[in-house]
């Protein structure tokens, strides 16, 4: 007694699809691979943006107190029309607040990695 499918070939394979005269399989890939041209270098007289205070701090150009001073000056730059004594009073109040307010000290520590040292009384 034998098993019918052993030693016999299976059903015939289906015929290959008929060629319709359309594009071949290799032509279906679309356009060829292209390498974009490199961007041109900026002209020698191009204006390079100045580094931010935080970039200068991280580069070692500023310490934390210098960073605070730059930020205080940026925050009060729009007050140039006020008398100099009044502007200096506002700047002193901002510096004092940045050195004493726990929330601002923590925010400054997060941004810079260090806390400012309070100014010495002279």
């Amino acid at each position: 007694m034998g098993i019918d499918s052993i030693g016999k070939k299976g059903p015939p394979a289906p015929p290959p699809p008929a060629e319709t005269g359309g594009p071949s399989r290799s032509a279906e890939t679309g356009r060829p691979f292209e390498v974009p041209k490199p961007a041109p270098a900026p002209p020698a007289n191009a204006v390079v943006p100045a580094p931010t205070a935080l970039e200068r701090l991280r580069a070692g150009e500023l310490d934390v107190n210098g960073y605070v001073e730059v930020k205080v000056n940026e925050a009060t730059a729009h007050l140039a029309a006020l008398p100099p004594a009044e502007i200096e009073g506002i700047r002193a109040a901002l510096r004092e607040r940045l050195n004493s307010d726990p929330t601002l000290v923590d925010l400054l520590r997060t941004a810079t990695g260090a806390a400012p040292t309070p100014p010495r009384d002279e």
Side-chain angles (χ1 to χ4, degrees):
M1 181 183 230
I3 300 177
D4 291 339
S5 63
I6 294 180
K8 295 184 179 178
K9 295 184 179 181
E19 295 283 329
T20 58
S24 67
R25 185 89 172 141
S26 62
E28 291 178 16
T29 60
R31 65 177 189 201
F33 177 75
E34 295 176 8
V35 177
K37 293 181 181 179
N45 61 354
V47 177
V48 178
T52 65
L54 191 56
E55 289 170 341
R56 291 177 58 201
L57 173 80
R58 290 183 177 152
E61 294 177 31
L62 295 174
D63 62 354
V64 177
N65 291 329
Y67 174 79
V68 168
E69 191 62 32
V70 168
K71 296 310 278 183
V72 165
N73 289 337
E74 286 177 5
T76 57
H78 68 284
L79 302 174
L82 294 175
E86 202 169 325
I87 293 174
E88 191 51 45
I90 293 169
R91 287 179 177 164
L94 282 173
R95 283 186 214 101
E96 189 275 325
R97 186 77 183 258
L98 281 167
N99 286 318
S100 64
D101 186 326
T103 304
L104 294 176
V105 169
D106 188 45
L107 182 63
L108 187 60
R109 186 179 294 117
T110 301
T112 64
T117 56
R120 296 183 209 161
D121 293 331
E122 295 179 20

